[in-house]
Amino acid sequence: MHCWNLLCLLALVPQTALASVLAIDYGTEWIKASLMKPGVPFDVLLNKDSKRKIQSAVGWKRGDRLFGTDAANMASRFPDDVFTSFKYVLGAPYESEIVSYYAKISPADLVETSRKTVGVKQSDGTEWSVEELTAMQFAYIRQLAESVAEEKVRDVVITVPPYYSQFERDAIVDAIEISGLRTLALVNDGTSVAVNFAMTRTFTTPEYHIIYDAGASSTRATVVAFTPLDAKTGGPGTHVAVNGVGYDRQTGGIELDRRMRQILVDTFNAKYNKDVREDKKAMAKLWKEAGRVKAILSANSEAMSSVESLAWDIDFRAKITRATFEAACTDLKSRFVQPIYDALNTAGLTLDNITSVLLVGGTTRTPMVQDAVKSAVGADKIALNVNADESPVLGAAFHGASLSRQFKTKNIKVSDISIHDVEVSYFAAPTTPLSRPRSITTLIFPAGSKGGTKKTLTFKRKEDFTLFFDYKHLIAPGYPQRIFESEITGVAEAIGNLTERGAVDPVVKATLLLSESGFVSVTEAVAYGEIKDDSLTGKLKGLFGGGSSSSEEATSTENTPPRETNTESEAEPSSSPSSSSSSATPSPSANDTATEKKKALAKEDTIKLKVVTTFPTIPPMTVDEKKAARGRLRAIDAEEAAKNRKEEARNTLESYLYRLRDLLDDEDRDTPFKKCSKESERQAITEKLEESFSWLHERGDIAETSQFLDKRITLEAMEKPIIHRYQEIEAFPQALNNSQMWNWSTRLFLQEARQNLTAEMEADLPSKWTKEELDALEKQLKEHETWLHTWVEKQKTVKSNENPVIETAEMKARAKVLEQNLMKLYRRKVPKVKKPKVTSTPEAEPTSPAGEEAKAEGPPAEEQAAPQTTEAPVPQDQQEPLRDEL
Ligand SMILES: *[C@@H]1O[C@H](CO)[C@@H](O)[C@H](O)[C@H]1NC(C)=O
Ligand SMILES: *[C@@H]1O[C@H](CO)[C@@H](O)[C@H](O)[C@H]1NC(C)=O
Ligand SMILES: *[C@@H]1O[C@H](CO)[C@@H](O)[C@H](O)[C@H]1NC(C)=O
Ligand SMILES: *[C@@H]1O[C@H](CO)[C@@H](O)[C@H](O)[C@H]1NC(C)=O
Ligand SMILES: *[C@@H]1O[C@H](CO)[C@@H](O)[C@H](O)[C@H]1NC(C)=O
Ligand SMILES: *[C@@H]1O[C@H](CO)[C@@H](O)[C@H](O)[C@H]1NC(C)=O
């Protein structure tokens, strides 16, 4: 069953305040992002050029920072200042094979950071850690997202390759923090594709699929089981479980590019007997050309390579055939396929168990790679029905939305695994003071362990000791195996305390976590013991089943998922009393008599111990380092914003100056500007204008933003009276018409009203107005007429390049006053009863019952007030001519 509209998968939970969730598929060559926000269609985020993907590049062009394609396009001109594909070396030790490999494909000047990781150096000597470069990209994407969301975006889910070690995961999280975002989760990219696959499908029986992702830098295969969830297992929905992963860290599209470039280099060198590798810019050009030729060869059997003025002024041209290219890559064919076999092996499945192989990643479009996969799994198993480019980011966004719990999503449960064996080791407590310490090693999180697993280790120790966490196998050549060390301190005091209080054989318990995002950590360490409580209260408590289990103990048991209750005990001969018995503490309500009796005599207690973790190999960034990095990024942001403001002020001034010059230069025609300005004014503006122009040319590059504004304000002040005259001339006819219209309407009204009033008085009928009111209106009208007449005549004599003597705004205001007074009388209703008269017209009287009579008094009452207001203008009227004379 398919659901084509992605929106139908997402419904909002209305009452909560919703925050957006950002998902980033952080690739070596391309970055894709997606934003989950109520009211915003769920889709891939577009960059400012409306492209659905962003090239992974950060660069500087004469001090201006560039991102995406803007940066990548500068790579051959500024090879020292444009950095691409640095995801290769994120979290990698400086002295590792991947870094030497990266140095082969990137012209970047690499430096070693204080943390023994990789940084880059710009041509001006500025150094950036790869985490900082990555953070700049994340911040750039955050800005894109915020402009779409129209609000702050904080929470982010980022895809990582499943083979990422803790060092690399730390580097991503550090970059996220530097960028000002908050990590909701890291999700393995194959897993997010699986989630995206499950989003639009319903499974009736369990199915296995392989997500085959050949990307720019590496190739991954993930075996995923899709199982329907029924009512018992929390359904309806789908359980997406990763069963096995295979990978090759260094086989991907970029390696194909590198081999293609090698063909081009060899061709050039052979033809011209030179070494083009000495020329950084030429190598950067060839790098771009290699990608282009590779793409052509995906669809054609041969391609023409052509680079103008490549080096030594030589225009390079060569014909490259697909056969040549494939011959240079023969060894890679098996490397592209091997991850599939490895993934099946770790999952314990064969190809027969697999329903389909989903191809994702740009490199799966290369015919050689597609052919290799087809011949390995059979063409009928290949599924091209997922969006090869966007399913990782869409799956990650969906995953993020379900994690944030703010969206009601289709029910998809995800279990992912860690693929590296993690061991913990420690030195056994010395049996005699002189004996050499014996090291004990336990495979604590074997490959295949599910994310979110907690394990508790129990130690019979009396002194502080250290746990060493290591990868059992080499993660990648040159990587350290030691992840971190955690010293558990304060043991002697805590154990002493428990012993003094009567605890029998107190122990130390450490809780270790393999998080959903793939991080290993020590979450807690405690000293623990059962304290015999011989006091009367203790005994009474026991009798009545009083709770004696400490709350900490209860939580730690709860936190351990039932399927993972894998409490390991120390392998020492004098091991702690069977760890399971102590941790499987019955809850206080349990009333098994045996336990009850035992508990009556024992009081358990825990004392929290301090855990001090150190990173002897590749440390994550410290809080201070991250703060400093964030400060550096903010400083560039602020600098760029100021630069943009200045640039804008300068451009605005410049175009204003040109516009003004055009107005002044139009000498021959009778332009409004000319009509409304005096020679002297134009002269003054011209002088100031030329002065501003030369200032702009001489000092424009070093001037401050405010100076650009000042120049413009000065000129605008000179231009303003001219514009005003012109505007007044334009507006005058309309204003005059308006005034005359009210003059005319008032006169018409007065004429009719006076007739009606006379007729009504004769017929002894109630009237809407009094004679005084009409007289007052007429007086106002006459004054208005006089004013209008006088000033219109005066205005007629004013030249177009002189300031007007009456403002249209005042004309409108005066007409408005007349209009209001007219309308007040005009809208008045006929009073039902003529108040002072008791004997009224027979027609009117019977139709108004007594009740209505009272109500009808309302309007006349208002009217009584009205004459007072109409009388008020008298003193005003006297003032008005005065004001006009001024
Ligand atoms: C995998 O396939 C084999 C052979 O067809 C079969 O025996 C086995 O049960 C399958 N395993 C699963 C988990 O479906
Ligand atoms: C043991 O620890 C508890 C709680 O921290 C404290 O109140 C008590 O005084 C300590 N006893 C000894 C003997 O140190
Ligand atoms: C012991 O447990 C049983 C069943 O769980 C319950 O019915 C009974 O009331 C409990 N007795 C006491 C004393 O708590
Ligand atoms: C005045 O305005 C009225 C209505 O807008 C219009 O019909 C009339 O032509 C105008 N007269 C002048 C002189 O602009
Ligand atoms: C004058 O009286 C006539 C007839 O009753 C009425 O139609 C007209 O609206 C009145 N005029 C005014 C200005 O109230
Ligand atoms: C006001 O209106 C009357 C009648 O329409 C007209 O004779 C007079 O000239 C107008 N006055 C002015 C100042 O426009």
Side-chain angles (χ1 to χ4, degrees), residues 11-234:
L12 306 183
V13 183
Q15 55 280 63
T16 44
L18 296 159
S20 329
V21 174
L22 179 63
I24 300 177
D25 177 24
Y26 187 60
T28 308
E29 239 174 1
W30 296 99
I31 307 171
K32 282 134 256 168
S34 175
L35 179 74
M36 280 283 202
K37 180 182 151 71
V40 173
F42 172 41
D43 196 4
V44 167
L45 202 64
L46 304 181
N47 74 357
K48 60 176 170 40
D49 303 323
S50 302
K51 294 271 163 48
R52 300 176 72 83
K53 53 185 186 176
I54 298 156
Q55 207 160 347
S56 183
V58 179
W60 280 263
K61 177 194 168 192
R62 297 195 192 92
D64 288 330
R65 190 172 50 156
L66 301 169
F67 289 98
T69 316
D70 293 343
N73 286 345
M74 290 292 136
S76 48
R77 279 176 62 199
F78 305 103
D80 293 323
D81 286 307
V82 174
F83 307 101
T84 58
S85 304
F86 42 82
K87 186 188 168 192
Y88 267 117
V89 292
L90 190 60
Y94 189 74
E95 301 290 344
S96 63
E97 195 182 285
I98 196 73
V99 176
S100 341
Y101 176 78
Y102 182 67
K104 280 193 234 165
I105 59 160
S106 163
D109 191 358
L110 302 182
V111 291
E112 184 170 5
T113 68
S114 59
R115 294 166 38 243
K116 298 191 175 67
T117 56
V118 183
V120 299
K121 193 167 170 180
Q122 273 181 255
S123 59
D124 67 0
T126 313
E127 292 184 10
W128 300 103
S129 66
V130 176
E131 285 87 346
E132 285 171 319
L133 290 181
T134 308
M136 288 180 198
Q137 296 180 311
F138 291 169
Y140 170 75
I141 292 165
R142 194 193 59 181
Q143 275 174 15
L144 288 179
E146 286 180 347
S147 66
V148 170
E150 294 175 337
E151 65 177 15
K152 284 242 173 284
V153 173
R154 289 275 278 134
D155 292 332
V156 68
V157 176
I158 298 199
T159 63
V160 292
Y163 56 73
Y164 254 20
S165 64
Q166 186 137 338
F167 311 119
E168 290 146 318
R169 286 170 197 265
D170 273 332
I172 290 275
V173 169
D174 288 346
I176 293 171
E177 284 175 23
I178 296 169
S179 76
L181 288 161
R182 187 165 52 197
T183 314
L184 204 53
L186 301 186
V187 56
N188 293 330
D189 43 24
T191 313
S192 39
V193 173
V195 169
N196 182 240
F197 188 65
M199 272 160 66
T200 51
R201 281 167 185 81
T202 302
F203 297 86
T204 46
T205 53
E207 283 179 24
Y208 295 95
H209 294 263
I210 294 179
I211 318 292
Y212 177 77
D213 188 347
S217 63
S218 66
T219 298
R220 290 85 71 194
T222 308
V223 173
V224 183
F226 297 86
T227 319
L229 291 170
D230 56 27
K232 257 189 284 170
T233 48

Side-chain angles (χ1 to χ4, degrees), residues 514-584:
L514 170 66
S515 80
E516 306 270 1
S517 296
F519 291 94
V520 175
S521 62
V522 177
T523 56
E524 193 188 44
V526 294
Y528 163 85
E530 281 180 7
I531 293 169
K532 288 213 174 69
D533 191 349
D534 292 327
S535 69
L536 183 61
T537 28
K539 279 176 179 159
L540 286 175
K541 246 192 209 165
L543 270 178
F544 297 111
S548 55
S549 163
S550 86
S551 62
E552 266 137 314
E553 183 59 30
T555 3
S556 78
T557 354
E558 254 168 47
N559 277 353
T560 313
R563 63 175 196 279
E564 304 293 353
T565 327
N566 206 338
T567 325
E568 311 240 339
S569 61
E570 195 167 349
E572 275 178 276
S574 62
S575 180
S576 58
S578 163
S579 60
S580 60
S581 78
S582 48
S583 68

Side-chain angles (χ1 to χ4, degrees), residues 749 752-753 756 768-769:
F749 168 81
E752 205 179 297
N756 284 12
K768 288 194 255 182
W769 320 279

Side-chain angles (χ1 to χ4, degrees), residues 378 440 799:
I440 294 158
K799 293 201 195 85

Side-chain angles (χ1 to χ4, degrees), residues 313-335:
D313 270 336
I314 298 168
D315 291 342
F316 173 70
R317 278 178 72 79
K319 192 166 85 181
I320 310 293
T321 64
R322 193 196 279 182
T324 315
F325 177 48
E326 293 192 354
C329 301
T330 33
D331 60 311
L332 291 181
K333 281 187 191 165
S334 60
R335 288 177 63 179

